[in-house]
Amino acid sequence: EKYTEWLDGITEVISPSNWMPIPCVSYVALLLPYVFTPLGLALSLLLVGVGMGFSQWRALPAPRPLPHRAVAAGLLEVLPATLILIYCFVPPINAYIFRFWRCKLYTTSEPGELPIEYNEVMVEEPSILCASEEHDSIFRRYIIVSIVIWPVGSMALYSSLLFACYKPLHAKLRTALTRASAFLHQDYETQWCWWEALELARRLVLTGAVTAIIPE
């Protein structure tokens, strides 16, 4: 609970609601920059890497080899910064995405009126009823994509990089990829080099599923 309270605080600090006028902006208009701005930063870093590699390839004397090796080297140059960026943004973004399922009950009955009637609304956007058509539409159009990009995407990225580094690390070989992805495994003993992927899964559960079920 303390961890999720801390995450809620971080989420509020970097929330777009701090620099957008809430009454004039819908939930989707807040969700999209929250999800896609860090993604754009990460992709921009990768594009910088591609540009660096291509520039180095252009500087080679003719006849030049194919540019794919130079581009790959450029990507590896920016990979550490990209991994750190993703590491920092995954928990608060994941928490914000899963807060979509946090709802709060409000009574719609007059005092003393029986039976008491309730409406369940989103905590993030009280104008939207939970389990309504609008709520389901946001889930289908935006939340699924957001989950694929951040929780699923970050887990797939970490796992694929650690899988690619597994054999070189156990063979005690320092390759360009193991050096570029050192952020993920350098703090662990070789036999536990995959542990960061498990740690990421734990953080995703804490900041996602647990955040969604904590009562408001």
Side-chain angles (χ1 to χ4, degrees), residues 3-15 18 34 88 91-93 99:
Y3 183 78
T4 52
E5 287 176 357
W6 174 80
L7 251 298
D8 280 346
I10 297 296
T11 303
E12 291 298 333
V13 168
I14 66 173
S15 171
N18 291 325
Y34 202 93
C88 293
I93 291 177
R99 280 164 65 176

Side-chain angles (χ1 to χ4, degrees), residues 23 31 39 43-44 62-63 81 90 108 113 150 154 171 176 189 203 211-212:
L31 174 70
L39 177 64
L43 292 177
S44 297
V90 162
T108 57
E113 181 182 347
W150 283 102
S154 60
E189 295 182 7
R203 293 167 70 211
T211 299

Side-chain angles (χ1 to χ4, degrees), residues 77-99:
E77 286 288 333
V78 299
L79 182 60
T82 305
L83 291 175
I84 292 172
L85 178 71
I86 293 172
Y87 179 88
C88 293
F89 275 104
V90 162
I93 291 177
N94 193 54
Y96 190 82
I97 291 170
F98 278 84
R99 280 164 65 176

